[in-house]
């Protein structure tokens, strides 16, 4: 079964810390992996997309890595700010899945304290 | 880039009443469109997807249905709502030639 797991479920850090969010998936046959941010009661905002042939992607203070063979991805947030507080979701598009369907983890709820 | 509109943002409906949620997409043509549901404490679950007008695939058996009357319009419906239909409904778009998915702002449905 194709599954995505995110650890930890929740994380609280003081402002300024660097942090890592983890995502693991059960099948290495993927098209891509996408990280999203979700604010309470809101939709999903795409942060980074990593194709299966790529090892990492960067956008500002965010860096996402992909190790397809081990079924893992990490989202690194540098110099965290209170505005980074949100739920971060990892989603994988597996080969052989429904037309472009993303399989989501349950997310990591991040709280950055001032 | 594409923009996804969903409405309404929130909805409270009695058990047994009908439902119609609408999603429209701007900035692209012939996209793949998806309806997801996000229940409290659970991940996002794919309900329906569509690769073109009139083409609907259902991922899970349920009380809901979907339709795609126009290229950039996707509608989620129910004839009679159940309490278990409560949740946060999200529309997503995968534009032609792109592999990056974009989401709307969602509709919070509470069935009472």
């Amino acid at each position: 079964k194709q599954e995505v797991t995110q650890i930890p479920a929740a994380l609280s850090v003081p402002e300024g810390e660097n942090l890592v969010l983890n995502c693991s998936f059960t099948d290495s046959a993927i098209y891509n992996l996408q990280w999203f941010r979700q604010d309470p009661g809101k939709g999903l905002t795409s942060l980074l997309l990593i194709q299966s042939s790529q090892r990492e992607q960067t956008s500002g203070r965010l860096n996402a890595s992909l190790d397809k063979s081990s079924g893992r991805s990490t989202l690194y947030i540098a110099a965290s700010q209170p505005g980074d507080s949100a739920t971060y979701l990892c989603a994988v598009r597996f080969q052989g899945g429904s037309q472009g369907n993303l399989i989501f983890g349950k997310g990591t709820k991040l709280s950055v304290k001032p | 880039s594409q923009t996804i509109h969903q409405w309404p943002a929130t909805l409270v409906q009695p058990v047994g009443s009908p439902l119609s949620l609408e999603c429209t997409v701007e900035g692209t043509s012939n996209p793949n469109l998806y309806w997801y549901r996000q229940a409290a404490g659970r991940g996002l679950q794919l309900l329906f997807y569509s690769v073109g007008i009139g083409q609907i695939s259902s991922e899970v058996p349920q009380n809901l249905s979907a339709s795609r009357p126009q290229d950039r319009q996707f509608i989620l419906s129910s004839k009679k709502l159940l309490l278990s239909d409560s949740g946060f409904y999200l529309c997503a778009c995968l534009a032609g030639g792109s592999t990056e998915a974009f989401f709307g702002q969602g509709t919070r449905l509470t069935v009472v």
Side-chain angles (χ1 to χ4, degrees), chain A residues 32 34 36 38 41-46 48-49 51 89 93 98-106, chain B residues 32 34 36 38 41-44 46 49 51 59 88 90 94 99-106 108:
Chain A
N32 56 53
Q34 197 166 351
F36 293 89
Q38 186 176 29
K42 302 295 184 182
L44 277 63
T45 299
S46 179
L48 290 164
L49 170 71
Q51 304 292 352
L89 294 161
R93 182 166 290 113
S98 302
Q99 287 280 349
N101 179 32
L102 289 167
I103 305 295
F104 282 83
K106 293 185 179 181
Chain B
N32 286 2
Y34 307 83
Y36 285 85
Q38 187 177 35
R42 299 164 69 178
L44 276 82
L46 179 67
Y49 69 91
V51 299
E59 285 296 296
F88 192 50
L90 290 156
L94 193 65
T99 57
E100 186 172 11
F102 293 92
F103 282 76
Q105 286 301 297
R108 171 73 58 192

Side-chain angles (χ1 to χ4, degrees), chain B residues 37 63-64 78 80-87 89 109 111:
Chain B
R37 177 168 59 202
N63 184 43
L64 302 168
S78 174
K80 289 185 178 181
L81 284 169
L82 305 172
L83 287 174
S84 58
D85 292 324
S86 294
Y89 289 83
L109 171 65
V111 182

Side-chain angles (χ1 to χ4, degrees), chain A residues 22-97:
Chain A
N22 297 293
C23 172
S24 61
F25 46 95
T26 53
D27 185 351
S28 62
I30 69 171
Y31 287 120
N32 56 53
L33 183 146
Q34 197 166 351
W35 283 94
F36 293 89
R37 168 186 173 137
Q38 186 176 29
D39 293 291
K42 302 295 184 182
L44 277 63
T45 299
S46 179
L47 297 174
L48 290 164
L49 170 71
I50 310 178
Q51 304 292 352
S52 63
S53 59
Q54 298 174 324
R55 295 299 298 271
E56 66 177 347
Q57 284 287 338
T58 298
S59 176
R61 294 183 293 108
L62 305 180
N63 175 276
S65 68
L66 174 65
D67 184 342
K68 200 171 53 171
S69 60
S70 67
R72 295 181 182 180
S73 175
T74 61
L75 179 65
Y76 175 82
I77 302 177
S80 59
Q81 302 170 359
D84 294 330
S85 298
T87 296
Y88 290 81
L89 294 161
C90 170
V92 177
R93 182 166 290 113
F94 291 98
Q95 294 180 20

